[in-house]
Amino acid sequence: MTTGNAQQPHQPVPSAGLRHLRPDVKAMTGYTPGEQVRDCVKLNTNECPWPPSPNVLAALRAAAAESLRLYPEPRSRAVCQAAAAAYGVSADQVLIGNGSDDCLTIVYRAFLRPGDRIACPWPTYGLYDTLATLQGAEVVHVDYVPQGTTWKLPATLAKQAAKLVIVANPNNPSATLVPVAELRQLASELDGVLVVDEAYVEFAGDGASLLPHLDRHPNLIVLRTFSKSYSLAGARLGMLFAHPEIVAQLMKVKDSYNVNSISQALGVAALNDKGYHRDLVRRTISERARLEAALTAFGWTWPDSAANFLLCEVGPRAEQIYLALKSAGILVRWWATEPLRTKLRITVGRPEWNDRLLSALRELHA
Amino acid sequence: MTTGNAQQPHQPVPSAGLRHLRPDVKAMTGYTPGEQVRDCVKLNTNECPWPPSPNVLAALRAAAAESLRLYPEPRSRAVCQAAAAAYGVSADQVLIGNGSDDCLTIVYRAFLRPGDRIACPWPTYGLYDTLATLQGAEVVHVDYVPQGTTWKLPATLAKQAAKLVIVANPNNPSATLVPVAELRQLASELDGVLVVDEAYVEFAGDGASLLPHLDRHPNLIVLRTFSKSYSLAGARLGMLFAHPEIVAQLMKVKDSYNVNSISQALGVAALNDKGYHRDLVRRTISERARLEAALTAFGWTWPDSAANFLLCEVGPRAEQIYLALKSAGILVRWWATEPLRTKLRITVGRPEWNDRLLSALRELHA
């Protein structure tokens, strides 16, 4: 139908539409996702090294033509119910997003008007800033306080007159964990909303999550993702937990059909296979310990990791090592910005991938 | 890991977080998607009545664990390339969204600051308004002009000092088509950007799309969807076509991984099976003609349909008929608002579904 080949030269003139763009959008740099290269040892974007649950793959194979033909259930109710059962909350405290990035976007759009302020400890996940720019909001960075082998939450974080305070816990890219008691204190002190992004919390051991305390803090929003411990980064699924009245308001802001039917089915299957999930987490933690033991040989240091990656302090050769690893077919994450220029973020991979990384590093150091 | 059952009463206090919400968000009513009821004849949300291409189902079955484990390709490049080949444009003129609703959201966020204005002919797709409220933008409705058996574009549409003018073509819910020449004229006159939402254009026959004219109008954005003629509403896939410079800016605004890996694979498979797509469109148009012939028996009228649905003028009994059909297991769309209160929007279904609809209507009229 329609079109066919237009037989016209492309891009005949610069776009007249450009001058109607929001100036702040035109001026901004987009968020740069980690490189998505295939055919290499990929230790740069903190995915799970093992495949998702066999239940998930069975759900994928079982997906019927009807679930593609028809619109998805708009509120992902089945996933909400499975999440409620898995995490001990009620289904009306859950919102499912097209990745937890979508959950973040929904929160920003619901709470922030241009000129409103968000605050986060720094350095952290760069997307928090990108989304603020998109919303015309002001960002305040308050530096983390390195202390011993961890990073402490800055004491002034609660005093920034911010509508939203966002803390990744464990933090990305440092992998450090702030104790639950400190975050509860922050939530209580805050005249605003506290968003705790728990993308990596399963790797932090028991008692690290704020979810069991959700009912005590009506200004608290907790985010979880299927992209890390559930091995479903490709499915785009995130969970938001909050007071039911907050969830009801956020539902108005999300795209009406924000999560596709297949991903909804996969999410339910993943949540229902608790044993496999526990096993993925256990294997990751055990492999993290082995990697840490081996990396000490290079004289590198890193803050205590409560996540599935390490932020290694490697000194002024960081970029050089990043590039050498890349040409050896091993991708890790390096940022050109301070205070990360001298560091490499390394995802815990499968044992054989970590071995390749260690061999390559030995060669570089030899 | 984490949590377990919290053993606390839920919802102990009203949420303190609520007062931090944007007042315009708190005040707004969310967009109400059409009812998604299973186990009924579903003629209310304009899905395709037949399943997607066998190629699509093969792509679904072939999806590997790795495509779930890893992040998706952030820009959906394979889909962009397949779309470029199918529609005779270049790949850098294409952006893929998580449904065309996502494409609309991206456009609104890129162009509109609070107080900016959008205009659209009215009545049309309700989501255009919802998204404007979310963006703090002002909406101007300019009434369509019923003329003979169609609805004409209001002459004053270009004169609203709007940054964005949005026209669904064919229009939803009227199914009426505005000729390409009129839209090109509008694009040329406009001091702003023209967005033409071509969700249903395949059902309008050859020469109805603006895509072959994209290169002549640098302030033009064209939207397409996989939810209708490709029978992939459940996959959430939409396409945006525009000048490469516009597309590059919009890429900064979209969520970094907005389209999941499985849907990307399904989109490529659907675009590559042109024969099946053509057949779905042909069958829909032929069944639309049969339905129209049968409905004249009830004395109903409707504007000329260029889409896969009819907007029937049924008089003051519209709600009653809607409810009677619903209790007979047949869902059509009815709105309580003017000027739609006396109308029913009926999706063209499979032959046997349309027969059930016609039998039920005969019983109601008997």
Side-chain angles (χ1 to χ4, degrees):
Chain A
M1 331 330 63
T2 68
T3 69
N5 234 297
Q7 306 293 357
Q8 291 169 13
H10 287 306
Q11 313 174 33
V13 292
S15 173
L18 275 183
R19 75 189 156 82
H20 301 288
L21 274 172
R22 284 171 45 192
D24 41 356
V25 166
K26 216 182 300 185
M28 78 185 273
T29 315
Y31 173 75
T32 310
E35 300 163 272
Q36 301 303 338
V37 181
R38 301 303 196 235
D39 304 320
C40 70
V41 172
K42 224 180 142 294
L43 304 176
N44 68 329
T45 47
N46 300 342
E47 289 122 334
C48 176
W50 296 282
S53 156
N55 273 17
V56 167
L57 298 173
L60 181 67
R61 304 291 170 240
E66 282 295 277
S67 61
L68 291 175
R69 184 181 75 80
L70 296 168
Y71 279 100
E73 205 289 309
R75 291 170 169 238
S76 305
R77 282 183 213 275
V79 194
C80 289
Q81 280 155 11
Y87 295 106
V89 301
S90 66
D92 61 359
Q93 290 177 304
V94 190
L95 179 146
I96 304 299
N98 181 43
S100 58
D101 291 355
D102 183 35
C103 297
L104 280 166
T105 295
I106 293 165
V107 168
Y108 275 64
R109 299 189 82 192
F111 285 98
L112 300 175
R113 285 182 298 190
D116 282 344
R117 181 182 282 188
I118 75 152
C120 53
W122 193 254
T124 191
Y125 185 31
L127 190 74
Y128 303 153
D129 281 18
T130 309
L131 294 179
T133 306
L134 280 179
Q135 201 60 15
E138 182 198 351
V139 187
V140 179
H141 291 165
V142 190
D143 287 348
Y144 268 107
V145 183
Q147 192 173 94
T149 56
T150 193
W151 291 11
K152 306 289 289 179
L153 216 53
T156 54
L157 191 56
K159 302 180 180 69
Q160 304 302 325
K163 286 199 89 173
L164 292 181
V165 173
I166 309 196
V167 179
N169 197 48
N171 185 44
N172 173 11
S174 64
T176 48
L177 185 76
V178 173
V180 156
E182 284 181 37
L183 289 169
R184 294 191 62 183
Q185 180 66 30
L186 178 60
S188 305
E189 282 174 19
L190 219 55
D191 181 29
V193 171
L194 176 63
V195 179
V196 180
D197 183 348
E198 298 191 337
Y200 299 99
V201 81
E202 291 93 339
F203 307 111
D206 287 344
S209 172
L210 274 168
L211 277 185
H213 311 285
L214 189 63
D215 291 338
R216 308 276 186 207
H217 298 283
N219 65 335
L220 174 66
I221 294 175
V222 176
L223 302 179
R224 292 287 190 98
T225 181
F226 286 79
S227 298
K228 311 299 175 185
S229 65
Y230 287 99
S231 196
L232 282 174
R236 311 311 299 125
L237 273 171
M239 293 173 272
L240 177 151
F241 298 88
H243 192 286
E245 291 174 10
I246 300 262
V247 168
Q249 293 290 328
L250 297 178
M251 285 284 179
K252 301 195 301 195
V253 176
K254 77 175 189 61
D255 265 2
S256 26
Y257 303 106
N258 63 328
V259 182
N260 75 88
S261 306
I262 306 295
S263 294
Q264 290 190 32
L266 304 185
V268 171
L271 286 167
N272 287 343
D273 195 352
K274 288 190 186 188
Y276 188 89
H277 182 234
R278 249 192 305 268
D279 191 53
L280 284 182
V281 171
R282 191 190 50 71
R283 286 153 78 179
T284 305
I285 292 174
S286 134
E287 195 58 22
R288 180 180 73 202
R290 191 179 74 91
L291 187 63
E292 289 184 296
L295 284 175
T296 52
F298 303 108
W300 292 357
T301 59
W302 52 89
D304 289 342
S305 171
N308 69 341
F309 57 88
L310 305 172
L311 185 66
C312 297
E313 176 60 55
V314 307
R317 289 174 65 225
E319 181 180 13
Q320 196 184 329
I321 297 172
Y322 155 73
L323 291 171
L325 288 174
K326 190 172 173 179
S327 62
I330 301 167
L331 265 190
V332 300
R333 192 91 186 247
W334 173 77
W335 290 267
T337 50
E338 294 299 348
L340 300 172
R341 278 190 65 78
T342 59
K343 300 175 172 64
L344 294 178
R345 194 191 67 186
I346 303 176
T347 306
V348 176
R350 288 191 207 175
E352 61 271 29
W353 301 346
N354 300 331
D355 288 342
R356 267 191 63 186
L357 168 76
L358 292 166
S359 306
L361 287 176
R362 271 180 217 113
E363 232 163 273
L364 286 174
H365 276 69
Chain B
M1 337 316 74
T2 69
T3 69
N5 234 296
Q7 306 293 358
Q8 292 170 13
H10 286 306
Q11 313 176 33
V13 292
S15 171
L18 275 183
R19 76 189 156 84
H20 301 289
L21 275 171
R22 283 171 46 193
D24 41 355
V25 166
K26 217 183 298 185
M28 78 185 271
T29 315
Y31 173 74
T32 309
E35 300 162 271
Q36 300 304 337
V37 181
R38 299 305 196 234
D39 304 320
C40 69
V41 172
K42 224 177 142 296
L43 305 176
N44 68 328
T45 47
N46 301 343
E47 289 122 334
C48 176
W50 294 282
S53 155
N55 273 18
V56 167
L57 298 173
L60 182 66
R61 304 290 170 243
E66 282 294 277
S67 62
L68 292 175
R69 184 180 76 78
L70 296 168
Y71 278 100
E73 204 289 310
R75 292 171 168 237
S76 305
R77 281 183 213 274
V79 194
C80 289
Q81 280 156 9
Y87 294 106
V89 300
S90 66
D92 61 0
Q93 291 176 302
V94 191
L95 178 146
I96 305 299
N98 181 44
S100 58
D101 291 355
D102 183 34
C103 296
L104 281 166
T105 295
I106 293 164
V107 169
Y108 275 64
R109 299 188 81 190
F111 286 97
L112 301 175
R113 285 182 299 191
D116 281 346
R117 181 181 283 188
I118 76 151
C120 54
W122 193 253
T124 192
Y125 186 31
L127 190 74
Y128 303 153
D129 281 18
T130 309
L131 294 178
T133 305
L134 280 178
Q135 202 59 15
E138 182 197 351
V139 187
V140 179
H141 291 165
V142 190
D143 286 348
Y144 269 108
V145 183
Q147 191 172 96
T149 56
T150 193
W151 291 11
K152 304 291 287 181
L153 217 52
T156 54
L157 192 56
K159 301 179 180 69
Q160 304 301 326
K163 284 199 91 172
L164 292 181
V165 173
I166 308 196
V167 179
N169 197 49
N171 185 42
N172 173 11
S174 63
T176 49
L177 185 77
V178 173
V180 157
E182 284 181 36
L183 289 169
R184 294 191 61 182
Q185 181 65 29
L186 178 60
S188 305
E189 283 175 17
L190 220 53
D191 181 29
V193 171
L194 175 63
V195 180
V196 180
D197 182 349
E198 296 191 337
Y200 300 98
V201 82
E202 290 93 340
F203 307 112
D206 287 344
S209 172
L210 275 168
L211 276 184
H213 311 283
L214 190 63
D215 290 337
R216 308 278 187 204
H217 299 283
N219 65 335
L220 174 65
I221 294 176
V222 176
L223 303 179
R224 291 289 189 98
T225 181
F226 286 78
S227 298
K228 312 298 176 184
S229 65
Y230 287 99
S231 196
L232 282 174
R236 313 309 298 127
L237 272 172
M239 294 173 272
L240 178 152
F241 298 88
H243 192 286
E245 291 175 10
I246 300 264
V247 168
Q249 294 289 329
L250 296 178
M251 285 284 180
K252 301 195 301 195
V253 176
K254 78 174 188 63
D255 265 1
S256 25
Y257 303 106
N258 63 327
V259 181
N260 74 88
S261 306
I262 306 294
S263 294
Q264 290 189 33
L266 304 184
V268 171
L271 286 166
N272 287 343
D273 194 353
K274 287 191 186 185
Y276 188 88
H277 182 235
R278 249 193 305 267
D279 191 53
L280 284 182
V281 170
R282 190 190 50 72
R283 285 153 78 179
T284 304
I285 291 175
S286 134
E287 195 57 22
R288 180 179 74 201
R290 191 179 72 91
L291 187 63
E292 289 184 297
L295 284 175
T296 51
F298 303 108
W300 292 356
T301 59
W302 52 89
D304 289 343
S305 171
N308 69 340
F309 58 88
L310 305 172
L311 184 66
C312 297
E313 175 60 55
V314 307
R317 289 174 64 225
E319 182 179 13
Q320 196 184 329
I321 297 172
Y322 156 72
L323 291 170
L325 287 174
K326 191 171 173 180
S327 62
I330 300 167
L331 265 189
V332 300
R333 192 89 186 248
W334 173 76
W335 290 268
T337 50
E338 293 299 348
L340 300 172
R341 278 190 65 78
T342 59
K343 300 176 173 63
L344 294 177
R345 194 191 68 187
I346 303 176
T347 306
V348 175
R350 287 192 208 175
E352 60 272 28
W353 301 346
N354 301 330
D355 288 342
R356 267 190 63 185
L357 168 76
L358 292 166
S359 305
L361 287 176
R362 271 179 217 114
E363 233 163 88
L364 285 174
H365 276 69

